[in-house]
Amino acid sequence: MLNNWDKWMAKRHKKMKLRCQKGIPPSLRGRVWLYLSGGKVKREQHKGKFEELDSQAGDPKWVDVIERDLHRQFPFHEMFVARGGHGQQDLYRVLKAYTLHRPEEGYCQAQAPIAAVLLMHMPAEDAFWGLVQICEKYLPGYYSAGLEAIQLDGEILFALLKRVSPLAHRHLKKHKMDPILYMTEWFMCAFSRTLPWVSVLRVWDMFLCEGVKIIFRVGLVLLKCMLGSQDKLKTCQGQYETMELLKTIDTRYMQEGFLVREILELPVSERDIEKEHLASVRRWKETRGELHCKSLPRMHGAKAIMAAEPPSRQDLRQNPTIIVESPLATKSNGEDKERKKTKEEKNGKKNSSPTPVAAYLEPSEPSPLLKDTALLGSNQSLSSTEHDTYL
């Protein structure tokens, strides 16, 4: 699929979507996320851009805030546990580069967990372009001052909840609970700070393939499960109790198998979201006036992103990130050359002397490569072990 990405996206997108719903293999997840988001194409079209931004000092106003936030991102993950460790350094580089890339937007605290999740799966430059795509294509306007986009999406979520779970909708409306109270962290962090880690990865696989409708579906599933029956509502008679309930979601509703099944069964489409979006914008203008944040139009998934900015075959070509030469192969190559030289010398002596060749041949030692690796009897070419390529 990665080798023929444009063809798969154009002609067999349904199969691609099913693969993402099933779960991307961990060994491929970083590369696939970069392709899905369009970050791969952006990186190829703007070669050297990240290095240029990385070399700049950055606005002190944002640098100070970013530095204070670094230790708060997944503090128990081995990548970010050490203060000043490589994980925190790369996170700082990515977030600082984004503030230079979009100075009018700057830095928002909710961007840090997004960037951290990306860094767990890809190098800093790739994570930067992944963050750019999420902020500009998937969740445009979410991280701008005033948070108008997230407020609009809160109204969309509330309108969709009326159809999905009328009981939960009535309860939240009765207690005058504005959606921004409970869904801000869910949406702005793409559930990376809410769900168990396995569920986060499965949600992101689908989110980067199908777009923001997956985030809406997760929110609707959680609200429906927590507030969708009379028994559950007995325990939360007021706004405070309801908020506490939504802060401590029952783990069984967040488990991978249950959650993914519910997400796929929920009938909420891009068309539904766009319809409610237009209605929300109209109500906003009637009650609050014009929107201050003029964000880019939202792209609903990988196929829409690719259609909006068609890439070239060169942009999609896979390139190795790191090439490591095996010390065993180097040693073996040196010994092979030495053996060849000895053989040539012996062949020269053979021409000038009647002594049999066998008298000059020493018992051949097994190559260290064959002795130390389990390649005997394998159909793998020995030449393929000379370089390990990590993509």
Side-chain angles (χ1 to χ4, degrees), residues 2 5 16 19-21 23-41 113-122 126-127 129-131 133-134 138 190 192 197-210 301-302 305:
L2 289 168
W5 188 260
M16 179 83 70
R19 288 280 174 89
C20 292
Q21 289 173 356
I24 299 168
S27 59
L28 291 172
R29 187 167 267 129
R31 270 188 286 165
V32 176
W33 280 3
L34 196 65
Y35 272 76
L36 287 169
S37 65
K40 170 73 166 72
V41 175
I114 297 284
V117 173
L118 292 170
L119 277 170
M120 292 176 199
H121 295 86
M122 57 189 78
D126 293 353
W129 289 115
L131 178 65
Q133 290 298 95
I134 289 173
Y138 289 84
S192 61
W197 187 241
V198 178
S199 300
V200 170
L201 297 178
R202 294 293 303 279
V203 165
W204 275 50
D205 289 346
M206 294 184 286
F207 164 56
L208 292 174
C209 180
E210 301 179 54
I305 291 171

Side-chain angles (χ1 to χ4, degrees), residues 10 13 187 209 226 232 254 289 305-306 326 369:
H13 180 256
F187 277 54
C209 180
M226 294 303 291
K232 292 183 176 71
M254 300 191 291
I305 291 171
M306 182 172 275
S326 168
L369 195 61

Side-chain angles (χ1 to χ4, degrees), residues 221-236:
V221 167
L222 296 182
L223 289 170
K224 177 185 173 184
C225 290
M226 294 303 291
L227 302 171
S229 71
Q230 290 291 354
D231 291 340
K232 292 183 176 71
L233 294 180
K234 286 176 185 175
T235 60
C236 47

Side-chain angles (χ1 to χ4, degrees), residues 155-173:
E155 293 187 17
I156 295 170
L157 179 72
F158 195 58
L160 294 171
L161 183 65
K162 186 175 184 180
R163 188 174 64 189
V164 172
S165 178
L167 194 61
H169 180 270
R170 281 198 303 272
H171 177 81
L172 293 171
K173 189 174 182 180

Side-chain angles (χ1 to χ4, degrees), residues 80-92:
F80 302 104
V81 70
R83 289 222 175 198
H86 72 93
Q88 290 194 11
Q89 287 179 27
D90 281 351
L91 182 58
Y92 169 78

Side-chain angles (χ1 to χ4, degrees), residues 88-100:
Q88 290 194 11
Q89 287 179 27
D90 281 351
L91 182 58
Y92 169 78
R93 292 169 62 209
V94 169
L95 295 173
K96 184 200 73 174
Y98 187 82
T99 64
L100 293 166

Side-chain angles (χ1 to χ4, degrees), residues 4 21 40 58 86 131 144 162 188 192 201 206 222 241 281 345 347 349 353 359 383:
N4 298 283
Q21 289 173 356
K40 170 73 166 72
H86 72 93
L131 178 65
S144 300
K162 186 175 184 180
M188 291 185 78
S192 61
L201 297 178
M206 294 184 286
L222 296 182
E241 292 81 4
V281 170
E345 289 173 356
N347 286 340
K349 288 177 183 177
S353 168
S383 61

